[in-house]
Amino acid sequence: MRFLVIGGGGREHALCRALQASPLATEVICAPGNDGIALATTCVDVAVDDLDGIVSLAQERAIDIVVVGPELPLVLGLVDRLEAAGIRAFGPNRAAAQLEGSKAFMKAFCARHAIPTAGYRVFGKDEAEAALAHVAAAALPLVVKADGLAAGKGVVIAETREVAREAVETAFAGAFGEAGATLVIEEFLEGEEVSLFAICDGTTALEIGTAQDHKRAFDGDTGPNTGGMGAYSPAPVLTPALVEEVMATIIQPTLDGLAAEGVSYKGFLYAGLMLTADGPELLEYNVRFGDPECQVVLPRLATDFGQLITGAVDGMLDRMSLRWHPGHALTVVLATRGYPASSPKGSVIRGLDALAGEPDLLVFHAATRNIEGQWQAHGGRVLAVTGRGPTLEAARDRAYAAVARIDWPEGFHRSDIGWRALSR
Ligand code: AMP
Ligand code: GLY
């Protein structure tokens, strides 16, 4: 089987590695990939939003299954385009991708299917007055969210009416472009945040790992929000009983609800959850794997990943079950100083090659360039260093011992990844 992975970050590096380990895979190609992925995988420079280019590439290379990493091509309808061209794809189609593409769609969908999530109101740009009246009266804190994709920047947790009002005005003034032309204003949920991933084939969903992310840039969960500075899996706070509850009250009703509305959900489904006093509630859906969560979940998976993806595309997940390597995985993200505000390119990273092949250690490249044998940073989040071990402590120590051997003065990382589970 010939697989084409779409994307060029650390998540896609993990997807490529897992596919390449499958006896089913005769070839794995990545578009656009990055220089780290290219160490072991053919990368072709086609952008993730170049739908025509991706369809042509899949045809030219006689690809059997296209595996889509990021949300943008999914929301743009890449899977619909591939399927129309007779190419099999792993990822939700455009209609299903609305779960991430539009928060107003997601909330209304949850309301239709009694899926537990925070109470909310939706306001369009022409309803600014009503939105402001709502934030003047509703209970605080309030959460103001841009409806569309805003690269993780479209959510404001407002502790005061002032901040809520400003969030409404900023979004309606165009700060997030079209993504902010509609706002979801919802109740604040109290609890611990955790993620659960499912793999879906349209009717069956299997849990494919739990994880906890670290969204803030700096130690102690301070600093600006980022795409994620580190993660670990499994997340002990999601006990087997809670996993079962989330599958039964959130994931399966989502698949069933979509199917009842004529939409088949195929691909990874990423549930951002709040464990409230009343049980797990859905904060958000992402229609893809998490990054860097993928870099801790896939290294734990013992099931043949190529077979699993093929099973999902063919609607055969009801005949499959997942097997896991024992133990834990923890990843530390190394980012360019200045991220997330800015990430100057070109700083030199030394010591990476010496880490290759170390046991229980995986270095995933998110944004590197290899210029004449020298590694350089080429973006915000640049590397994810994953350690595995029999305990979370062992996994953490493995990851941080490797991070200490990477010589990159212009980079930074958090030193407290895993604190929540380790202090439990
Ligand atoms: P979202 O992109 O919708 O997940 O929002 C980003 C982050 O904002 C989440 O990961 C939570 O940390 C926080 N958040 C979102 N909605 C709520 C809510 N209703 N209550 C509390 N925190 C929230
Ligand atoms: N790490 C969070 C995300 O992938 O959205």
Side-chain angles (χ1 to χ4, degrees):
M1 299 258 304
R2 299 162 68 86
F3 292 94
L4 168 61
V5 174
I6 303 302
R11 168 182 51 211
E12 287 73 26
H13 197 179
L15 291 169
C16 286
R17 275 205 185 145
L19 283 171
Q20 272 166 324
S22 168
L24 260 188
T26 51
E27 184 162 24
V28 179
I29 298 173
C30 189
N34 63 49
D35 283 357
I37 296 176
L39 286 175
T41 305
T42 305
C43 292
V44 183
D45 195 15
V46 176
V48 301
D49 60 352
D50 179 2
L51 306 194
D52 290 333
I54 293 169
V55 172
S56 304
L57 176 64
Q59 283 167 333
E60 281 160 23
R61 304 285 182 124
I63 295 299
D64 294 297
I65 295 181
V66 179
V67 178
V68 188
E71 65 277 16
L72 181 60
L74 295 167
V75 171
L76 292 175
L78 174 59
V79 169
D80 311 64
R81 290 286 308 278
L82 288 164
E83 287 177 348
I87 302 158
R88 294 196 292 164
F90 176 79
N93 59 24
R94 186 179 186 148
Q98 283 297 93
L99 283 181
E100 178 168 359
S102 164
K103 291 185 191 288
F105 171 88
M106 182 281 247
K107 299 298 282 192
F109 175 84
C110 287
R112 286 199 293 282
H113 299 284
I115 293 164
T117 185
Y120 74 105
R121 298 269 308 268
V122 177
F123 300 94
K125 208 172 168 172
D126 52 353
E127 298 168 304
E129 236 169 78
L132 292 171
H134 179 64
V135 303
L140 294 170
L142 274 173
V143 187
V144 181
K145 300 183 174 184
D147 175 55
L149 294 184
K153 298 187 181 89
V155 175
V156 174
I157 313 270
E159 306 273 351
T160 66
R161 301 202 186 280
E162 184 102 71
V163 171
R165 184 167 6 99
E166 204 178 287
V168 170
E169 283 167 352
T170 313
F172 283 157
F176 308 110
E178 264 311 293
T182 299
L183 291 179
V184 172
I185 304 183
E186 63 183 47
E187 295 167 3
F188 180 80
L189 295 176
E190 198 101 43
E192 187 165 339
E193 223 178 310
V194 67
S195 303
L196 180 143
F197 303 91
I199 182 166
C200 309
D201 70 358
T203 44
T204 301
L206 301 177
E207 182 238 335
I208 183 167
T210 61
Q212 263 177 322
D213 190 10
H214 300 64
K215 285 178 206 273
R216 302 294 198 97
F218 309 129
D219 283 4
D221 287 339
T222 58
N225 266 324
T226 70
M229 294 299 294
Y232 52 90
S233 178
V237 67
L238 265 188
T239 58
L242 279 173
V243 167
E244 208 173 299
E245 184 178 345
V246 172
M247 293 303 290
T249 61
I250 298 178
I251 303 290
Q252 194 60 48
T254 298
L255 235 62
D256 295 346
L258 286 170
E261 296 181 12
V263 179
S264 170
Y265 194 103
K266 189 172 34 92
F268 295 119
L269 181 58
Y270 162 172
L273 304 164
M274 191 68 92
L275 301 180
T276 74
D278 300 331
E281 299 210 24
L282 183 66
L283 282 178
E284 66 165 339
Y285 263 140
N286 294 309
V287 296
R288 51 174 174 81
F289 224 110
D291 185 345
E293 292 90 332
C294 193
Q295 294 93 303
V296 283
V297 170
L298 292 189
R300 295 181 43 241
L301 186 69
T303 304
D304 180 327
F305 191 57
Q307 217 169 36
L308 189 62
I309 294 287
T310 308
V313 172
D314 292 343
M316 312 261 263
L317 287 184
D318 59 336
R319 299 181 204 177
M320 302 183 77
S321 59
L322 300 189
R323 288 176 301 106
W324 298 94
H325 296 298
H328 301 249
L330 181 145
T331 198
V332 180
V333 168
L334 276 64
T336 302
R337 273 185 208 282
Y339 172 76
S342 70
S343 5
K345 292 176 179 166
S347 55
V348 176
I349 305 167
R350 293 190 176 84
L352 284 183
D353 295 334
L355 300 175
E358 297 244 334
D360 289 325
L361 182 73
L362 295 158
V363 178
F364 297 102
H365 290 240
T368 54
R369 281 271 169 95
N370 194 298
I371 313 280
E372 290 171 8
Q374 186 182 62
W375 289 106
Q376 297 187 2
H378 202 74
R381 294 191 296 169
V382 172
L383 297 161
V385 179
T386 299
R388 285 186 293 209
T391 62
L392 186 57
E393 287 86 342
R396 175 197 57 188
D397 292 349
R398 195 88 195 87
Y400 276 113
V403 167
R405 289 164 59 196
I406 297 173
D407 174 14
W408 180 27
E410 292 85 357
F412 78 99
H413 61 269
R414 280 182 60 160
S415 64
D416 62 350
I417 301 301
W419 69 268
R420 214 179 267 280
L422 291 168
S423 62
R424 199 162 273 283

